[in-house]
Amino acid sequence: MLKPVSYGVENGDTIQLNKYGTFKDMNANCQIFNPNVGLTGAFVNFPDMWRTFPNMRTYNAVDFLPPPAIAKDPKTLNLFKGFRIHNFIHREELDIQVILDHIFLLADKNNQVYEYILNYLAHLIQRPGERPNVALLFMSKPGTGKNLFWEKFGRTILGAEKVFQTQDITRLTNRFNDYLSEKLLVVLDEVEAKTSFNVVEFIKNFITAEQNTIETKNIRARQEQSYRRLIM
């Protein structure tokens, strides 16, 4: 149970959780007609009326559960709302050879590595709710565009809300880390070996942990299932 009680607002493919005070401030200018006020009814503040609405959807918990993951409690709000690519209808077969060629270059033109990356991507799409417990590490000179593919793939196929990209590895260790909620792909740009070596144990745990601790300011930390794939 979230404490204090939080309210979820759907915004496209994401759900934003807020305390009631924040939710009320966000909707302070929203008025709705309530016919049960007085003899003729009156316009009232929307948050106040909605808060007492008997048919308001309520949940006992919040979690991130892509398939095939399922919630233990049926009254769990699932933050996973599908992939961005599912919103598009492709009426003709697309030529993706240039993308495959780029992946082949990422694999250093090694067929075995190339097939592994393709399988890694397929697993992410077909069974996003299974942890691979493996990170992918690409080594090259800075500025060669090795993270370009992952950025485009993540934002175009998965959706921007499911991708987190940073050059600052400490962003993964911050206490207030709600920006890591709902993430399937985490991309660390241009990480130096000496930097990553100092937090090697943390990185191991980040790759294999079954749960994330997600904390938002003024809301108690909650546990969220972890299905993140780490790319370095």
Side-chain angles (χ1 to χ4, degrees):
M1 181 70 70
L2 291 178
K3 293 184 180 181
V5 173
S6 299
Y7 293 80
V9 179
E10 290 194 38
N11 181 16
D13 293 329
T14 64
I15 297 178
Q16 182 179 358
L17 299 175
N18 298 295
K19 294 190 305 179
Y20 177 69
T22 303
F23 173 76
K24 186 173 182 179
D25 290 342
M26 291 170 57
N27 296 276
N29 63 334
C30 295
Q31 301 289 308
I32 188 170
F33 186 75
N34 186 347
N36 299 317
V37 176
L39 297 176
T40 60
F43 282 93
V44 297
N45 185 263
F46 163 71
D48 291 334
M49 182 176 177
W50 179 77
R51 191 181 191 184
T52 59
F53 185 61
N55 295 326
M56 179 178 64
R57 287 181 292 170
T58 57
Y59 301 89
N60 296 330
V62 176
D63 211 340
F64 181 62
L65 301 164
I70 58 174
K72 295 180 180 179
D73 184 349
K75 295 200 70 174
T76 295
L77 174 62
N78 187 0
L79 298 176
F80 181 75
K81 297 299 179 183
F83 294 130
R84 181 175 184 267
I85 194 65
H86 292 161
N87 298 324
F88 297 91
I89 299 176
H90 297 290
R91 294 183 172 84
E92 59 184 29
E93 186 174 346
L94 300 178
D95 184 0
I96 62 169
Q97 189 57 50
V98 65
I99 299 175
L100 295 177
D101 291 343
H102 188 76
I103 297 174
F104 191 60
L105 291 176
L106 289 177
D108 198 25
K109 300 181 181 180
N110 182 303
N111 285 317
Q112 186 175 359
V113 176
Y114 172 70
E115 289 295 329
Y116 186 92
I117 296 174
L118 292 182
N119 289 332
Y120 193 90
L121 293 170
H123 181 259
L124 169 56
I125 296 299
Q126 296 169 11
R127 302 185 70 82
E130 286 184 351
R131 278 176 300 277
N133 292 330
V134 174
L136 299 186
L137 174 63
F138 297 89
M139 300 181 65
S140 69
K141 295 180 179 179
T144 56
K146 56 183 175 296
N147 291 325
L148 178 63
F149 166 77
W150 298 103
E151 178 185 0
K152 297 297 183 183
F153 173 84
R155 296 182 181 278
T156 303
I157 305 298
L158 306 181
E161 72 285 350
K162 296 178 180 65
V163 182
F164 180 71
Q165 187 172 8
T166 182
Q167 292 183 335
D168 183 2
I169 199 169
T170 62
R171 295 289 304 279
L172 306 185
T173 63
N174 288 344
R175 174 185 172 186
F176 298 114
N177 62 348
D178 53 351
Y179 48 79
L180 289 176
S181 177
E182 306 176 53
K183 297 300 180 284
L184 287 172
L185 193 64
V186 176
V187 181
L188 286 176
D189 287 333
E190 310 295 355
V191 177
E192 295 183 359
K194 62 180 180 180
T195 302
S196 58
F197 181 78
N198 293 333
V199 289
V200 63
E201 291 302 321
F202 170 82
I203 292 176
K204 288 180 181 179
N205 182 69
F206 190 88
I207 296 167
T208 61
E210 295 184 358
Q211 291 187 321
N212 309 318
T213 298
I214 301 296
E215 187 168 358
T216 304
K217 286 185 179 180
N218 302 318
I219 296 179
R220 192 175 72 174
R222 61 182 175 85
Q223 295 297 306
E224 180 179 291
Q225 294 300 306
S226 174
Y227 302 105
R228 301 173 296 207
R229 279 76 168 171
L230 179 63
I231 309 298
M232 301 175 64

